[in-house]
């Protein structure tokens, strides 16, 4: 198992190809991006976030990721977004002046829970205890998704 040491950066420093990072921001505006206006199928959720310095950036997360991770995000929520895909903010739906926008793959309002068995439980406990505040990268080779309810 390997760990990536991430640092918190301000929104104004977000650019492609920088070290692993995260931002803590508040969602100030959200809207659905539909695949086709006639079908009204939501393709992604677009949102604008603001940090403590007042800097804003536009982000999007696919509807499938929101549904799969059971993330329930609303305007006004504080979220932590970790290293995402950073792309130029030059499209027709540009909502901020930031030169880039985020395509979010993971944010911390949602969580992925899994059940570990046997020696894997102790391996994970030992790793978390001995590696301090870092974000572990876990590779799951065989898994089954179970839906509650």
């Amino acid at each position: 198992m390997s760990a990536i040491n991430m640092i918190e950066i301000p929104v104004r420093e977000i650019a492609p190809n920088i070290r692993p990072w995260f931002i803590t921001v508040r969602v100030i505006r959200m809207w659905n991006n539909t695949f086709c206006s006639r079908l009204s199928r939501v393709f992604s959720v677009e949102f604008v976030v603001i940090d403590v310095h007042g800097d804003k950036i536009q982000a999007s997360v696919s509807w499938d990721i929101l549904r799969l991770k059971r993330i329930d995000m609303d305007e006004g929520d504080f979220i932590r977004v970790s290293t995402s895909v950073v792309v130029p903010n030059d499209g027709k739906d540009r909502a901020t002046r930031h030169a880039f926008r985020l395509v979010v793959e993971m944010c911390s309002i949602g969580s992925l829970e899994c059940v570990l068995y046997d020696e894997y439980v102790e391996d994970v406990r030992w790793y978390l205890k001995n590696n301090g505040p870092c974000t572990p990268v876990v590779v799951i080779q065989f898994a089954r998704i179970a839906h509650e309810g």
Side-chain angles (χ1 to χ4, degrees):
M1 225 182 281
S2 67
I4 299 173
N5 291 320
M6 303 177 88
I7 61 167
E8 185 166 15
I9 64 170
V11 164
R12 70 177 158 268
E13 290 183 16
I14 293 175
N17 303 319
I18 60 172
R19 64 203 177 280
W21 54 266
F22 70 90
I23 55 174
T24 304
V25 291
R26 186 170 62 106
V27 179
I28 60 172
R29 177 79 173 100
M30 290 180 63
W31 65 97
N32 292 336
N33 185 9
T34 55
F35 180 68
C36 175
S37 59
R38 289 185 194 175
L39 299 176
S40 297
R41 180 182 180 273
V42 176
F43 178 69
S44 66
V45 174
E46 303 288 320
F47 53 102
V48 175
V49 296
I50 188 169
D51 68 6
V52 295
H53 306 289
D55 296 313
K56 301 173 189 173
I57 192 165
Q58 184 175 345
S60 63
V61 62
S62 80
W63 181 251
D64 294 332
I65 289 175
L66 285 174
R67 192 187 66 214
L68 179 66
K69 295 180 186 259
R70 296 182 181 178
I71 297 173
D72 185 23
M73 186 169 53
D74 291 311
E75 290 180 4
D77 286 349
F78 284 89
I79 62 173
R80 178 170 285 175
V81 179
S82 58
T83 307
S84 302
V85 178
V86 179
V87 297
N89 190 17
D90 55 7
K92 64 180 180 176
D93 60 346
R94 184 176 180 156
T96 67
R97 294 182 179 167
H98 200 290
F100 301 102
R101 64 190 296 162
L102 304 175
V103 179
V104 177
E105 297 173 338
M106 189 72 118
C107 61
S108 68
I109 32 175
S111 64
L112 176 64
E113 296 179 13
C114 66
V115 178
L116 300 174
Y117 296 97
D118 304 323
E119 70 275 3
Y120 301 112
V121 175
E122 290 308 315
D123 288 348
V124 170
R125 282 186 183 156
W126 178 90
Y127 183 85
L128 294 173
K129 178 181 172 189
N130 293 301
N131 286 288
C134 63
T135 304
V137 176
V138 180
V139 177
I140 300 174
Q141 186 172 7
F142 300 105
R144 185 180 127 215
I145 297 174
H147 297 281
E148 293 181 25

